[in-house]
Amino acid sequence: MRVTEGPFEWPLADEEVRAALDAAFLDGSWGRYHGPHGEGLCDDLKKQFACEHVLLCASGTIGVELALRGCGVEAGDEVVLAGYDFPGNFRAIEAVGARPVLVDVEPERWCLCSQDLSALRRDRVKAVIVSHLHGGLADMPTIMSIARQRGWLVVEDACQQPGATIENKPVGSWGDVGVLSFGGSKLLTAGRGGAVLSHDGHFHQRMKVYAERGNWAFPLSELQAAVLRPQLAKLEDRNSVRAENVATILEACQGLEQWLRPVASRENSWPAYYKLAWSLLPAESDPSIREQLIARLKDAGVPIDAGFRGFTRRSQRRCEQVGAIEGSKKLSQSTLLLHHPVLLANKRAAQQISQVLDHEVRSLAH
Ligand SMILES: Cc1ncc(COP(=O)(O)O)c(C=O)c1O
């Protein structure tokens, strides 16, 4: 049994993207530092993400670092991070000279656990990085209220979920500063790129001062901005198609609960699927099972990979770990991620993916 639909390509051959490239060629902006495309993209992002300020930049990775700098995080400060997250976020904390403090995740949602955050008592914490990962959404209302009480600033990493909402509010606009990625595999792509969103001019100004070095040191080009604008206009529709296909796959995989635990939804929320995550439960105790399953699924045409490695093995020299962070450890060993391009294909592709998953997981178990 194999997936015969596809190939599942990304980026899509979008005529509106081609038209945007033509426009940037014709108006000469392709060769300029600044121009109408970058300015237009900033306006579009402000509207879409309900924020006052947008700083375009070179990647989501540098965006998170800029966000920390915007928050005034410095050497000697501590920054809270989930024990399972994008590796660059750990490095961004180190880059500003601060120390990562690892708390556990909500294992059902792959996101920083608000209860663990609430239990945290540390004097030197300045900020918290919260990422929305793999179709799971963090509990932003609770996290923001904890952060407000303690005087912590929140960097909300929305790189994986542009267009997602929690209580009708765009993900990326909950935190003091929000970060987007326009990397080559992302839902909004310019090959590379990112943006930092903020509501308060102070954060924005600090980031600008840091990056202004006689020229803007981490730029997004006019060409990149041009190709992003038509994609932004289609984001909501595409997110809907992805969500429908996710629903098809999750429904068809209901009989696999013993082996696979899919990412859980959150009330009053609408996720965006850059990846669709499962935890392969037997891999929590034996990680080699995951490698076997991934190899078999890939052979059968399913675009699936392991998740992040997490930070649970990082030495105490580099970070503080609060408690055993068992959930993060388990997710580091057990996460399976289905890549989003299949989720924009037809329903038949989603059905085939489910059938192959069902077949391979059951045969692995026997
Ligand atoms: C959660 C998260 N944050 C940040 C990034 C970094 O984005 P970029 O690849 O644009 O540097 C990624 C990239 O995969 C990510 O998944």
Side-chain angles (χ1 to χ4, degrees), residues 100-332:
V101 173
L102 305 178
V103 297
D104 212 358
V105 287
E106 280 184 71
E108 306 79 22
R109 296 188 181 82
W110 277 260
C111 296
L112 186 137
C113 174
S114 59
Q115 279 178 3
D116 285 25
L117 188 67
S118 169
L120 193 68
R121 297 279 180 273
R122 297 183 77 87
D123 293 339
R124 295 168 81 173
V125 170
K126 179 91 168 239
V128 184
I129 298 180
V130 185
S131 301
H132 302 285
L133 297 180
H134 314 337
L137 290 168
D139 181 358
M140 289 314 291
T142 307
I143 289 171
M144 290 312 296
S145 112
I146 297 166
R148 291 286 174 265
Q149 282 166 23
R150 308 284 176 82
W152 300 336
L153 295 169
V154 174
V155 172
E156 187 185 13
D157 179 342
C159 289
Q160 294 205 356
Q161 301 213 34
T165 57
I166 299 171
E167 296 178 0
N168 284 326
K169 193 172 147 118
V171 156
S173 72
W174 279 87
D176 295 288
V177 188
V179 182
L180 303 175
S181 163
F182 307 133
S185 62
K186 294 298 190 309
L187 300 183
L188 296 169
T189 181
R192 297 277 176 183
V196 192
L197 319 172
S198 55
H199 307 288
D200 180 327
H202 280 100
F203 301 126
H204 187 71
Q205 189 57 23
R206 274 207 207 103
M207 293 186 272
K208 274 177 74 174
V209 167
Y210 175 75
E212 180 54 60
R213 301 175 187 190
N215 213 330
W216 176 231
F218 311 105
L220 185 95
S221 73
E222 274 288 280
L223 265 184
Q224 287 171 296
V227 298
L228 285 163
R229 296 190 71 192
Q231 295 177 66
L232 194 58
K234 295 176 184 178
L235 181 64
E236 197 174 328
D237 287 348
R238 287 182 176 169
N239 278 346
S240 297
V241 174
R242 286 187 275 261
E244 275 169 32
N245 282 322
V246 165
T248 301
I249 294 171
L250 294 187
E251 202 185 322
C253 291
Q254 268 174 5
L256 298 175
E257 279 147 359
Q258 217 180 320
W259 298 287
L260 287 181
R261 191 191 61 230
V263 64
S265 56
R266 184 175 291 292
E267 259 186 25
N268 294 327
S269 300
W270 199 63
Y273 292 97
Y274 165 62
K275 310 277 179 191
L276 171 60
W278 287 270
S279 173
L280 178 63
L281 299 173
E284 290 180 354
S285 46
D286 177 2
S288 69
I289 293 177
R290 178 174 65 167
E291 309 322 314
Q292 285 175 51
L293 180 63
I294 289 174
R296 288 160 76 152
L297 288 169
K298 280 187 163 169
D299 275 353
V302 179
I304 202 158
D305 271 301
F308 298 139
R309 294 164 99 141
F311 312 124
T312 54
R313 293 191 180 169
R314 299 274 159 109
S315 83
Q316 285 182 359
R317 197 175 45 76
R318 292 178 73 187
C319 60
E320 297 290 327
Q321 192 169 303
V322 180
I325 56 172
E326 275 301 319
S328 307
K329 197 177 285 174
K330 285 181 179 167
L331 291 186
S332 308

Side-chain angles (χ1 to χ4, degrees), residues 328-350:
S328 307
K329 197 177 285 174
K330 285 181 179 167
L331 291 186
S332 308
Q333 295 189 172
S334 67
T335 301
L336 292 172
L337 298 178
L338 183 70
H339 303 303
H340 69 87
V342 292
L343 302 175
L344 269 193
N346 52 32
K347 193 162 177 156
R348 207 174 131 66

